[in-house]
Amino acid sequence: DIRHNIMFIPTRYLKGDQLDNFATRYSLLTESKDNMVENSKVQDPDLLFLDQFNNVLRSSKYQLLLDQDDIVKLHTSIKSNLLTILAGLSGTGKSRIIRAYAEALGIDKNSENRFKFISVKPSWQDDSDLLGFADTISNNYRPSDTGLVDTLIDAKKNSDQIYLIVLDEMNLSRIEYYFSQFLSVLERDSDERYLTLYSDYLEARLYNSSTYHARIMIPENVRFIGTMNIDESTFELSDKLIDRANIIELNTVPFYEIENMKLENLKQKQEEKNWHKFPVSLLNHSAHDIKLSTTQLNFLWELHEALNHELPNIGVSWRNVKFIEKFLNRLPSNYFKKIDEAFDWQVSERILTKLRGTDTMLSNLISYNEKDHKLNGKIIEILDKYADLSQFEVSRKVLQVKVRELVVNGYAR
């Protein structure tokens, strides 16, 4: 195998009989570039974390096999959104995946308060079930036994560390009831995200008000993650919630592939020198400087008009546009060439999740032609029109599922 390399040498080196010197400098420069590429991999916190996350997932403790794109989706969503929701069938390991994510961050048993796992109860009716209440008889604030308030206070004191708050099976109760304050607060700027625990005029009366102030902040180093089953025992999500959350439905990896997994002892991995504990700077790391193109904005606008024409209360909001752009910028550096696919992910997760209703409501937007065995409708026409932007493979699969639901159930969830 012979490789032909052409090297252009400035004449000053030839005239000055400095060819050997030039060759040495060229060699050093080439080695330097190779080292820069290698160092960039080492220094990129996203790539470091994803490698560690994969090690945790495939360890003997968790034995979880996930699609690599789903792993990237989850991590990028947590970085770019205050609220990420994992949705899917019961028993797919959603809760274990989040526990593995926390362990990959370096959150261990000695820092349990940084990972607060809250099981939602069907009886929850308002935010006092999640936060607590002011007891005016004993003049004390009674925080909920979920421990959420204490976790938020602790997070404010340790702003350099990542805190994860998990709401397990969050749609067992109506989210708009117990999470109502959060839905209003999550869209605000980081210095304005205050929850009201009780009225200001009570603060002087309560004995423990120095610990539990009337208002409490949701700091920038906190992320909420929800798990959600989709079945008849749970409640539908409101448009208000869907508009503020990134909803990820995990792909199912063939069960037989677990035979190829090389399981390693996680405790031994954590004792190695190359095991990392990631600070809050991981959440803010951005490998790209992407602005949505005119074509992408035109696509989103046409999609908004199509949705809004058929479903007047549904569309693509400015919030959606802003978070799609933020998501693309927070992708790992090695996903730069897959921006078109990532854009498709966001269309399916942030916009098509709003597409719900009966066949009469949705038939103009999506339908199925039994003769041609093809999807039809305004949304399909828009996806086809912007095929150069993305193949929209994930979005088309989502629409196929919704069409099947319309045929079988008469209603798309």
Side-chain angles (χ1 to χ4, degrees), residues 16-278:
D17 197 22
Q18 297 180 19
L19 185 58
D20 289 341
N21 183 31
F22 175 80
T24 302
R25 289 180 62 185
Y26 177 80
S27 176
L28 289 172
L29 181 62
T30 305
E31 290 175 7
S32 176
K33 286 182 177 179
D34 291 339
N35 290 335
M36 284 174 64
V37 172
E38 194 62 35
N39 287 338
S40 68
K41 293 180 181 178
V42 173
Q43 293 170 2
D44 187 327
D46 284 324
L47 299 183
L48 279 174
F49 172 77
L50 290 171
D51 184 55
Q52 189 156 295
F53 189 23
N54 271 302
N55 285 335
V56 175
L57 289 170
R58 294 168 179 266
S59 67
S60 54
K61 179 177 180 178
Y62 289 98
Q63 301 185 39
L64 291 167
L65 192 61
L66 292 185
D67 180 89
Q68 188 61 36
D69 283 346
D70 282 345
I71 293 173
V72 172
K73 279 183 203 176
L74 175 62
H75 175 55
T76 309
S77 177
I78 291 172
K79 284 176 61 182
S80 54
N81 295 268
L82 282 172
L83 175 60
T84 296
I85 297 175
L86 281 185
L89 297 173
S90 178
T92 52
K94 296 182 291 295
S95 301
R96 282 176 59 78
I97 291 167
I98 297 171
R99 290 184 186 277
Y101 186 87
E103 198 144 5
L105 286 172
I107 300 176
D108 52 32
K109 292 180 179 179
N110 296 323
S111 52
E112 280 187 8
N113 207 32
R114 291 175 55 204
F115 181 67
K116 180 60 63 177
F117 198 89
I118 301 171
S119 296
V120 174
K121 298 178 182 178
S123 59
W124 286 4
Q125 293 296 316
D126 55 48
D127 57 13
S128 65
D129 293 304
L130 190 58
L131 296 172
F133 65 98
D135 183 351
T136 54
I137 296 176
S138 64
N139 287 331
N140 272 296
Y141 181 76
R142 305 289 186 187
S144 167
D145 58 9
T146 61
L148 174 56
V149 171
D150 291 308
T151 298
L152 292 176
I153 292 172
D154 197 52
K156 184 71 168 61
K157 295 176 182 177
N158 300 283
S159 58
D160 61 329
Q161 297 181 330
I162 300 172
Y163 283 70
L164 299 179
I165 297 171
V166 182
L167 298 170
D168 192 37
E169 297 193 58
M170 68 183 304
N171 60 333
L172 275 180
S173 181
R174 288 197 178 276
I175 301 168
E176 295 74 22
Y177 291 172
Y178 72 84
F179 209 61
S180 58
Q181 266 204 84
F182 291 84
L183 294 181
S184 299
V185 168
L186 291 181
E187 63 179 304
R188 299 177 188 169
D189 293 334
S190 57
D191 58 347
E192 297 178 357
R193 294 192 199 116
Y194 282 95
L195 298 169
T196 300
L197 300 185
Y198 52 87
S199 300
D200 289 335
Y201 76 90
L202 289 175
E203 195 161 37
R205 292 174 51 189
L206 301 184
Y207 295 123
N208 57 353
S209 61
S210 59
T211 302
Y212 301 109
H213 299 291
R215 296 196 310 157
I216 186 172
M217 175 181 272
I218 301 178
E220 185 62 27
N221 57 328
V222 171
R223 292 294 185 272
F224 291 89
I225 308 173
T227 69
M228 188 179 76
N229 293 328
I230 303 174
D231 55 39
E232 68 283 349
S233 68
T234 57
F235 290 97
E236 282 275 348
L237 303 184
S238 70
D239 294 328
K240 185 176 182 180
L241 175 64
I242 291 173
D243 206 44
R244 287 162 172 77
N246 200 54
I247 302 173
I248 300 173
E249 195 161 350
L250 301 173
N251 293 309
T252 303
V253 178
F255 303 137
Y256 56 79
E257 289 192 14
I258 199 168
E259 295 178 357
N260 300 321
M261 285 179 63
K262 184 181 178 182
L263 303 178
E264 297 185 39
N265 187 293
L266 182 57
K267 190 174 181 180
Q268 290 179 355
K269 279 279 184 184
Q270 291 169 332
E271 291 173 353
E272 293 176 3
K273 290 181 179 180
N274 61 351
W275 183 265
H276 297 274
K277 293 187 177 183
F278 291 90

